[in-house]
Amino acid sequence: MALRLYSALGKRTGHEQALPRPAEERVGAPSMPRTLDMPAEVRESGPRAIDQNAEGGLRALVAADPSFDVAQFVDGAKSAYRMILEAFWKGDRETLTWLVEDEVRDTFVAAIDAREAEGHVVENRLVSIERASISNIEIDGRVARVTVRFDADIAMVTRDADGNVISGSMSDAVETHDVWEFSRDLKSGDPNWKLSDTDEA
């Protein structure tokens, strides 16, 4: 998949709605450590934790890494989704460095640089993650790639250097649909999964 970066890292459907409860209440937003360590048991967090067409890839991944756990991975991916979005919106380059692969980081930083050069400030907020599920799993040599689809509601506001609203509203949420790929070298001692690609669903 080609890396594609959107102003909110999401696809706007045109459907806006009143804000539901904050994401902190609905998703739990556990603080994510710098690693997505997986316990040994293989289990799922519900019928939508992994799509049926990813089950073959799951078997191959578990064979290569018996510690992989679907539910823990999806929970970690939700936390990573939140942290990466917030880091991008805030222009937090350091956080992006340890959460995403270099190529993705370079793209994010270029977008942040362009935004800052224009004097624009985003005040986006992840309101809720309605759904997160593994849609594909591949093993390429020693590298595992797990693709997760996120359906979320995001409040989006962009202001100019004078604080004037250019676009968006904090009183409405926009439906977004993202497909993010996380990867990890299975032979490495580093247990971290990093964002290696983004696309829209």
Side-chain angles (χ1 to χ4, degrees), residues 88-103:
F88 174 68
W89 295 333
K90 295 175 182 178
D92 184 350
R93 297 165 176 82
E94 181 179 356
T95 296
L96 290 173
T97 296
W98 59 268
L99 285 175
V100 308
E101 296 287 359
D102 291 345
E103 181 181 355

PDB file of all heavy atoms in Angstrom, residues 88-103:
ATOM      1  N   PHE A  88       0.896  13.533  16.014  1.00  0.00           N
ATOM      2  CA  PHE A  88       0.886  14.220  14.723  1.00  0.00           C
ATOM      3  C   PHE A  88       0.185  15.568  14.836  1.00  0.00           C
ATOM      4  O   PHE A  88       0.668  16.591  14.338  1.00  0.00           O
ATOM      5  CB  PHE A  88       0.188  13.345  13.678  1.00  0.00           C
ATOM      6  CG  PHE A  88       0.007  14.029  12.345  1.00  0.00           C
ATOM      7  CD1 PHE A  88       1.100  14.336  11.554  1.00  0.00           C
ATOM      8  CD2 PHE A  88      -1.258  14.366  11.889  1.00  0.00           C
ATOM      9  CE1 PHE A  88       0.938  14.975  10.330  1.00  0.00           C
ATOM     10  CE2 PHE A  88      -1.427  14.995  10.667  1.00  0.00           C
ATOM     11  CZ  PHE A  88      -0.326  15.303   9.887  1.00  0.00           C
ATOM     12  N   TRP A  89      -0.951  15.585  15.504  1.00  0.00           N
ATOM     13  CA  TRP A  89      -1.690  16.840  15.651  1.00  0.00           C
ATOM     14  C   TRP A  89      -0.902  17.873  16.449  1.00  0.00           C
ATOM     15  O   TRP A  89      -0.932  19.057  16.155  1.00  0.00           O
ATOM     16  CB  TRP A  89      -3.037  16.572  16.323  1.00  0.00           C
ATOM     17  CG  TRP A  89      -3.964  15.719  15.507  1.00  0.00           C
ATOM     18  CD1 TRP A  89      -3.990  15.603  14.149  1.00  0.00           C
ATOM     19  CD2 TRP A  89      -4.997  14.861  15.995  1.00  0.00           C
ATOM     20  NE1 TRP A  89      -4.963  14.725  13.750  1.00  0.00           N
ATOM     21  CE2 TRP A  89      -5.599  14.252  14.851  1.00  0.00           C
ATOM     22  CE3 TRP A  89      -5.472  14.533  17.266  1.00  0.00           C
ATOM     23  CZ2 TRP A  89      -6.665  13.354  14.970  1.00  0.00           C
ATOM     24  CZ3 TRP A  89      -6.521  13.634  17.376  1.00  0.00           C
ATOM     25  CH2 TRP A  89      -7.121  13.055  16.239  1.00  0.00           C
ATOM     26  N   LYS A  90      -0.182  17.419  17.474  1.00  0.00           N
ATOM     27  CA  LYS A  90       0.577  18.335  18.338  1.00  0.00           C
ATOM     28  C   LYS A  90       1.957  18.670  17.771  1.00  0.00           C
ATOM     29  O   LYS A  90       2.647  19.534  18.312  1.00  0.00           O
ATOM     30  CB  LYS A  90       0.750  17.718  19.731  1.00  0.00           C
ATOM     31  CG  LYS A  90      -0.556  17.539  20.493  1.00  0.00           C
ATOM     32  CD  LYS A  90      -0.315  16.808  21.805  1.00  0.00           C
ATOM     33  CE  LYS A  90      -1.605  16.574  22.561  1.00  0.00           C
ATOM     34  NZ  LYS A  90      -1.383  15.803  23.822  1.00  0.00           N
ATOM     35  N   GLY A  91       2.354  17.977  16.724  1.00  0.00           N
ATOM     36  CA  GLY A  91       3.688  18.190  16.182  1.00  0.00           C
ATOM     37  C   GLY A  91       4.774  17.584  17.052  1.00  0.00           C
ATOM     38  O   GLY A  91       5.911  18.055  17.067  1.00  0.00           O
ATOM     39  N   ASP A  92       4.440  16.508  17.762  1.00  0.00           N
ATOM     40  CA  ASP A  92       5.368  15.843  18.675  1.00  0.00           C
ATOM     41  C   ASP A  92       6.228  14.858  17.897  1.00  0.00           C
ATOM     42  O   ASP A  92       5.923  13.670  17.787  1.00  0.00           O
ATOM     43  CB  ASP A  92       4.580  15.135  19.775  1.00  0.00           C
ATOM     44  CG  ASP A  92       5.469  14.500  20.831  1.00  0.00           C
ATOM     45  OD1 ASP A  92       6.693  14.443  20.617  1.00  0.00           O
ATOM     46  OD2 ASP A  92       4.934  14.048  21.862  1.00  0.00           O
ATOM     47  N   ARG A  93       7.332  15.337  17.376  1.00  0.00           N
ATOM     48  CA  ARG A  93       8.195  14.512  16.535  1.00  0.00           C
ATOM     49  C   ARG A  93       8.882  13.399  17.318  1.00  0.00           C
ATOM     50  O   ARG A  93       9.126  12.322  16.788  1.00  0.00           O
ATOM     51  CB  ARG A  93       9.229  15.402  15.839  1.00  0.00           C
ATOM     52  CG  ARG A  93       8.610  16.440  14.893  1.00  0.00           C
ATOM     53  CD  ARG A  93       9.624  17.505  14.528  1.00  0.00           C
ATOM     54  NE  ARG A  93       9.127  18.469  13.564  1.00  0.00           N
ATOM     55  CZ  ARG A  93       8.360  19.517  13.890  1.00  0.00           C
ATOM     56  NH1 ARG A  93       7.996  19.698  15.158  1.00  0.00           N
ATOM     57  NH2 ARG A  93       7.948  20.369  12.971  1.00  0.00           N
ATOM     58  N   GLU A  94       9.208  13.659  18.571  1.00  0.00           N
ATOM     59  CA  GLU A  94       9.901  12.652  19.371  1.00  0.00           C
ATOM     60  C   GLU A  94       9.038  11.413  19.586  1.00  0.00           C
ATOM     61  O   GLU A  94       9.516  10.277  19.449  1.00  0.00           O
ATOM     62  CB  GLU A  94      10.298  13.248  20.722  1.00  0.00           C
ATOM     63  CG  GLU A  94      11.052  12.272  21.613  1.00  0.00           C
ATOM     64  CD  GLU A  94      11.460  12.874  22.931  1.00  0.00           C
ATOM     65  OE1 GLU A  94      11.219  14.083  23.144  1.00  0.00           O
ATOM     66  OE2 GLU A  94      12.019  12.138  23.764  1.00  0.00           O
ATOM     67  N   THR A  95       7.769  11.619  19.921  1.00  0.00           N
ATOM     68  CA  THR A  95       6.870  10.478  20.115  1.00  0.00           C
ATOM     69  C   THR A  95       6.712   9.691  18.825  1.00  0.00           C
ATOM     70  O   THR A  95       6.706   8.458  18.826  1.00  0.00           O
ATOM     71  CB  THR A  95       5.499  10.946  20.625  1.00  0.00           C
ATOM     72  OG1 THR A  95       5.664  11.540  21.918  1.00  0.00           O
ATOM     73  CG2 THR A  95       4.522   9.786  20.738  1.00  0.00           C
ATOM     74  N   LEU A  96       6.595  10.395  17.707  1.00  0.00           N
ATOM     75  CA  LEU A  96       6.464   9.716  16.421  1.00  0.00           C
ATOM     76  C   LEU A  96       7.681   8.849  16.127  1.00  0.00           C
ATOM     77  O   LEU A  96       7.558   7.780  15.528  1.00  0.00           O
ATOM     78  CB  LEU A  96       6.268  10.739  15.300  1.00  0.00           C
ATOM     79  CG  LEU A  96       4.926  11.476  15.293  1.00  0.00           C
ATOM     80  CD1 LEU A  96       4.933  12.572  14.233  1.00  0.00           C
ATOM     81  CD2 LEU A  96       3.772  10.503  15.042  1.00  0.00           C
ATOM     82  N   THR A  97       8.852   9.283  16.582  1.00  0.00           N
ATOM     83  CA  THR A  97      10.085   8.556  16.293  1.00  0.00           C
ATOM     84  C   THR A  97      10.045   7.130  16.816  1.00  0.00           C
ATOM     85  O   THR A  97      10.504   6.202  16.139  1.00  0.00           O
ATOM     86  CB  THR A  97      11.297   9.295  16.888  1.00  0.00           C
ATOM     87  OG1 THR A  97      11.425  10.573  16.242  1.00  0.00           O
ATOM     88  CG2 THR A  97      12.580   8.503  16.683  1.00  0.00           C
ATOM     89  N   TRP A  98       9.496   6.920  18.015  1.00  0.00           N
ATOM     90  CA  TRP A  98       9.509   5.564  18.558  1.00  0.00           C
ATOM     91  C   TRP A  98       8.213   4.798  18.330  1.00  0.00           C
ATOM     92  O   TRP A  98       8.098   3.644  18.696  1.00  0.00           O
ATOM     93  CB  TRP A  98       9.896   5.554  20.036  1.00  0.00           C
ATOM     94  CG  TRP A  98       9.055   6.337  20.990  1.00  0.00           C
ATOM     95  CD1 TRP A  98       9.237   7.618  21.394  1.00  0.00           C
ATOM     96  CD2 TRP A  98       7.907   5.858  21.709  1.00  0.00           C
ATOM     97  NE1 TRP A  98       8.270   7.979  22.303  1.00  0.00           N
ATOM     98  CE2 TRP A  98       7.443   6.921  22.518  1.00  0.00           C
ATOM     99  CE3 TRP A  98       7.218   4.640  21.745  1.00  0.00           C
ATOM    100  CZ2 TRP A  98       6.323   6.804  23.350  1.00  0.00           C
ATOM    101  CZ3 TRP A  98       6.100   4.536  22.568  1.00  0.00           C
ATOM    102  CH2 TRP A  98       5.674   5.599  23.355  1.00  0.00           C
ATOM    103  N   LEU A  99       7.244   5.425  17.658  1.00  0.00           N
ATOM    104  CA  LEU A  99       5.998   4.727  17.370  1.00  0.00           C
ATOM    105  C   LEU A  99       5.850   4.330  15.899  1.00  0.00           C
ATOM    106  O   LEU A  99       5.034   3.468  15.582  1.00  0.00           O
ATOM    107  CB  LEU A  99       4.799   5.602  17.757  1.00  0.00           C
ATOM    108  CG  LEU A  99       4.485   5.728  19.246  1.00  0.00           C
ATOM    109  CD1 LEU A  99       3.354   6.726  19.466  1.00  0.00           C
ATOM    110  CD2 LEU A  99       4.121   4.376  19.839  1.00  0.00           C
ATOM    111  N   VAL A 100       6.600   4.964  14.997  1.00  0.00           N
ATOM    112  CA  VAL A 100       6.417   4.697  13.565  1.00  0.00           C
ATOM    113  C   VAL A 100       7.761   4.431  12.906  1.00  0.00           C
ATOM    114  O   VAL A 100       8.814   4.835  13.404  1.00  0.00           O
ATOM    115  CB  VAL A 100       5.705   5.875  12.862  1.00  0.00           C
ATOM    116  CG1 VAL A 100       4.422   6.241  13.590  1.00  0.00           C
ATOM    117  CG2 VAL A 100       6.601   7.100  12.765  1.00  0.00           C
ATOM    118  N   GLU A 101       7.708   3.730  11.778  1.00  0.00           N
ATOM    119  CA  GLU A 101       8.909   3.476  10.998  1.00  0.00           C
ATOM    120  C   GLU A 101       9.423   4.780  10.378  1.00  0.00           C
ATOM    121  O   GLU A 101       8.691   5.754  10.234  1.00  0.00           O
ATOM    122  CB  GLU A 101       8.613   2.462   9.885  1.00  0.00           C
ATOM    123  CG  GLU A 101       8.222   1.083  10.393  1.00  0.00           C
ATOM    124  CD  GLU A 101       9.389   0.306  10.976  1.00  0.00           C
ATOM    125  OE1 GLU A 101      10.524   0.832  10.974  1.00  0.00           O
ATOM    126  OE2 GLU A 101       9.176  -0.833  11.434  1.00  0.00           O
ATOM    127  N   ASP A 102      10.696   4.774  10.011  1.00  0.00           N
ATOM    128  CA  ASP A 102      11.352   5.998   9.554  1.00  0.00           C
ATOM    129  C   ASP A 102      10.645   6.643   8.362  1.00  0.00           C
ATOM    130  O   ASP A 102      10.476   7.865   8.306  1.00  0.00           O
ATOM    131  CB  ASP A 102      12.805   5.714   9.193  1.00  0.00           C
ATOM    132  CG  ASP A 102      13.650   5.384  10.417  1.00  0.00           C
ATOM    133  OD1 ASP A 102      13.190   5.655  11.543  1.00  0.00           O
ATOM    134  OD2 ASP A 102      14.764   4.844  10.238  1.00  0.00           O
ATOM    135  N   GLU A 103      10.247   5.829   7.382  1.00  0.00           N
ATOM    136  CA  GLU A 103       9.622   6.384   6.189  1.00  0.00           C
ATOM    137  C   GLU A 103       8.306   7.084   6.524  1.00  0.00           C
ATOM    138  O   GLU A 103       7.999   8.164   6.014  1.00  0.00           O
ATOM    139  CB  GLU A 103       9.369   5.287   5.153  1.00  0.00           C
ATOM    140  CG  GLU A 103       8.733   5.792   3.860  1.00  0.00           C
ATOM    141  CD  GLU A 103       8.473   4.681   2.861  1.00  0.00           C
ATOM    142  OE1 GLU A 103       8.866   3.533   3.130  1.00  0.00           O
ATOM    143  OE2 GLU A 103       7.869   4.973   1.814  1.00  0.00           O
TER     144      GLU A 103
END
